[in-house]
Amino acid sequence: MSASHSVQGKEAPYYYVPADSAHPVRSAVALLATGIGAAAWVNDVSWGKWLVLAGILGLIVVLYFWFGDAIHESETGMNSKRIDLSYRWGMSWFIFSEVMFFAGFFGALWYVRTITTPWLGDLDHKLMLWPDFQAAWPNFGPAGVVEHFQTVGPFWLPTINTALLLSSGVTLTIAHHALRENHRGKTMFWLFATVVLGFVFVACQAYEYHHAITELNLKFNSGVYGSLFYMLTGFHGFHVIMGATMLTVILIRLMRGHFTADHHFGFEGAAWYWHFVDVVWLGLYLFVYWF
């Protein structure tokens, strides 16, 4: 948020209405290009992957300038307390949508393990459909359709990653309290530590994927277990990358003198997102690696 809610000692307008902007149209075009490219790519059209790349790069460029305008409005004191409240509600609903996103995948994992697998393994289905099917989790499908693979246990990389993320939550909280006390140097140090821990987590997960694919033969097409494993952990890893990138931007803004002890929702919003990522990982650690 802004360094102040006022401009030259005067309270900012109740609700700031920005000038007309082409950013929404540009972002819509970039997203449309990405969607069309993805549809073409999965249908083996040669130009599909290049259109996806162009769409993603275009979206990044649009967001860069769009967020830059928002930061400029904030730092020049155009945003009132009403805008601050709208940002908080917007971030809250965004995180809620992410909660429901992951809830869908956790629900799929629960449904397959506790309902579908036992149901397909009962006597009627074994006699009528797949006599050789074993109702165990994970399973290799009927009649050995899925290549044999090994599951990923909690030791040691997943446990190390859990320690990394939990530690990053602590360092981020220290940074937040330091900012509220106006200790900017301390804030930047602990925020930098948080970013480093986040990217180390991503590196460890990349190594885990390499180990799972090359040594455990666990792939995305390794039955429903492989699909859910990579969907859950992969999307979470993507969220870690996004969260670490957000915190990196906040760190750069701190170095440029943005934020004050009283008004720093840009920092707080990124911190909310990071703590959400931490909580999701705890669920993954328990239900994917342990149970």
Side-chain angles (χ1 to χ4, degrees), residues 272-291:
W272 291 0
Y273 187 84
W274 192 255
H275 290 310
F276 157 74
V277 169
D278 287 353
V279 172
V280 171
W281 176 256
L282 289 177
L284 287 173
Y285 183 61
L286 291 175
F287 294 104
V288 173
Y289 294 102
W290 274 100
F291 299 150

Side-chain angles (χ1 to χ4, degrees), residues 98 101-102 105 205 209 220 227-242 273 276-277 280 284:
E98 296 280 49
F101 174 85
F102 278 100
F105 288 110
Q205 189 171 52
Y209 276 13
F220 192 81
S227 298
L228 286 173
F229 174 82
Y230 285 110
M231 289 294 285
L232 279 164
T233 60
F235 269 117
H236 177 268
F238 172 74
H239 282 72
V240 172
I241 294 173
M242 293 299 296
Y273 187 84
F276 157 74
V277 169
V280 171
L284 287 173

